[in-house]
Amino acid sequence: MDSGSNGQSCHDQPVFPYVCDLAPDSSHASLADSLRQLTGERQTYTEQARRHGAVLFRNTGGRTAKDFDAMVRCFGLPNFPYEKSLSNAVRVEKTERVFTANEAPSDVRIYLHHEMAQTPVFPSKLFFFCEQPAESGGATPICRSDCLVARLEHELPSFVEACAGKGLRYTHTMPADDDPGSGMGRSWRSTFRADSRAGCEVRMAELGYSAVWNSDGSLTATTPVLSGVKNLGDGRRVFFNQLIAAYSGFGPAGESPDDSITFGDGGKLPADMVWKACQIAEELTFDIQWQTGEMAIVDNHITMHGRRTFSGVRKILASLIA
Ligand code: FE2
């Protein structure tokens, strides 16, 4: 594995992530200068995010959620509002476009995923911003999904074709009320924007979900068939699914991910191949070791992200693009 001058992994591909220092003489990092530069070069940066998978901006001069909001707005891209998403995560809004990246406890690792790939509605891009790095740990791992498919095509071709041909369905149990103690504790009321079971059922029917109500008031919902491997139309294929996070998130104590993900035809996934994919993804991963004021744009079609465990206070904010 090659390593670029900033420590990025290359894999014979465009350097990943692309690093852009907005104030090379960092003693003069100024938010006003960054806002001008981001506005002037927004198309270039967006294209770089597509080509490289992610762009990391150092020395933005930004410090607060409001500063981050202003930087995101420089790109002139449409907002993807969290309340309209079907995300399972519980979040706290900071501004109209900015929210806390995830409220899950610091010892919960969030494994690699494409944002909301387990739902029919997902953002095209994500911005992250570091308001305060953790005392230790807390990196944001990112992984090029097209590089992962390229490796899998070589090592597990039948698995790639099964994912591409059959697609995947996801089953998830949602509590009646938000559970901030879980990384995926968003309630069915919030997820489907419904205040009654009947309203929830109407929304699920529109989206192609099937579901079972449980005696404790929770809802076990199954998605329509979603992509396993997606063709981007530019010669690249990506592992656009939630297999890695779903498999890695299960403990060894008799729990099985088989109840939560199947192929689109209901068939069981080959666990050994999924684990191999998890292992290759980890090999391809670059950790963003955050410094205060850094911002990243991640193309959600190309690049997966996650969260390492940490100690101390960690304030990473996020903003999603439709
Ligand atoms: Fe995420």
Side-chain angles (χ1 to χ4, degrees):
M1 184 187 301
D2 295 333
S3 195
S5 60
N6 291 292
Q8 312 97 320
S9 50
C10 299
H11 321 293
D12 303 324
Q13 292 286 329
V15 66
F16 175 71
Y18 186 86
V19 175
C20 177
D21 194 334
L22 291 174
D25 176 4
S26 58
S27 60
H28 292 97
S30 132
L31 177 64
D33 289 346
S34 292
L35 294 176
R36 265 191 296 278
Q37 193 169 331
L38 291 170
T39 304
E41 300 292 330
R42 63 188 179 187
Q43 191 157 353
T44 306
Y45 294 142
T46 306
E47 286 166 8
Q48 280 168 333
R50 187 70 172 182
R51 184 168 128 75
H52 294 263
V55 180
L56 175 61
F57 297 96
R58 298 201 195 281
N59 295 310
T60 65
R63 285 290 176 271
T64 66
K66 216 171 130 230
D67 297 344
F68 176 40
D69 186 299
M71 290 194 283
V72 170
R73 284 174 197 272
C74 292
F75 284 78
L77 297 167
N79 188 35
F80 181 100
Y82 169 68
E83 71 274 10
K84 288 193 182 153
S85 78
L86 298 158
S87 163
N88 305 127
V90 178
R91 287 171 173 149
V92 177
E93 288 192 357
K94 293 285 194 177
T95 75
E96 192 192 335
R97 296 194 67 150
V98 169
F99 51 85
T100 57
N102 197 305
E103 291 293 300
S106 61
D107 61 348
V108 174
R109 178 172 167 187
I110 298 172
Y111 291 90
L112 290 170
H113 59 281
H114 286 282
E115 192 67 22
M116 302 179 205
Q118 79 286 15
T119 81
V121 188
F122 46 80
S124 66
K125 298 169 196 65
L126 303 88
F127 284 88
F128 291 111
F129 177 73
C130 177
E131 199 176 10
Q132 185 182 334
E135 209 170 282
S136 68
T140 294
I142 51 174
C143 175
R144 281 271 299 263
S145 192
D146 55 338
C147 295
L148 175 58
V149 168
R151 279 278 300 273
L152 291 173
E153 281 170 344
H154 188 65
E155 298 187 30
L156 299 170
S158 63
F159 177 54
V160 174
E161 294 322 314
C163 290
K166 297 178 185 176
L168 300 166
R169 298 183 81 188
Y170 302 83
T171 299
H172 178 66
T173 297
M174 303 169 198
D177 298 300
D178 283 348
D179 173 11
S182 160
M184 291 174 49
R186 192 179 184 192
S187 67
W188 57 261
R189 293 173 205 280
S190 170
T191 304
F192 292 109
R193 286 183 291 148
D195 48 19
S196 68
R197 289 189 177 196
C200 184
E201 283 169 2
V202 168
R203 179 83 176 123
M204 287 193 293
E206 286 167 3
L207 292 161
Y209 280 68
S210 54
V212 176
W213 293 102
N214 303 310
S215 55
D216 63 356
S218 65
L219 174 72
T220 299
T222 300
T223 67
V225 178
L226 301 175
S227 81
V229 169
K230 190 177 272 189
N231 199 326
L232 295 182
D234 62 0
R236 292 188 286 183
R237 292 209 295 173
V238 285
F239 204 58
F240 197 86
N241 60 57
Q242 219 61 305
L243 282 181
I244 291 176
Y247 267 68
S248 306
F250 279 89
E255 295 173 312
S256 163
D258 291 334
D259 296 333
S260 66
I261 304 189
T262 64
F263 279 122
D265 62 5
K268 196 173 155 183
L269 284 146
D272 54 335
M273 296 191 188
V274 180
W275 284 117
K276 179 73 182 164
C278 295
Q279 188 192 325
I280 296 171
E282 188 63 28
E283 284 171 28
L284 297 173
T285 290
F286 173 83
D287 274 0
I288 301 178
Q289 307 282 3
W290 293 107
Q291 309 267 338
T292 303
E294 289 184 346
M295 178 173 78
I297 175 169
V298 174
D299 190 306
N300 192 38
H301 290 107
I302 312 284
T303 299
M304 294 181 278
H305 64 278
R307 189 194 73 180
R308 303 282 186 201
T309 59
F310 62 95
S311 62
V313 177
R314 176 188 188 267
K315 291 184 182 171
I316 303 295
L317 304 175
S319 181
L320 304 180
I321 303 300

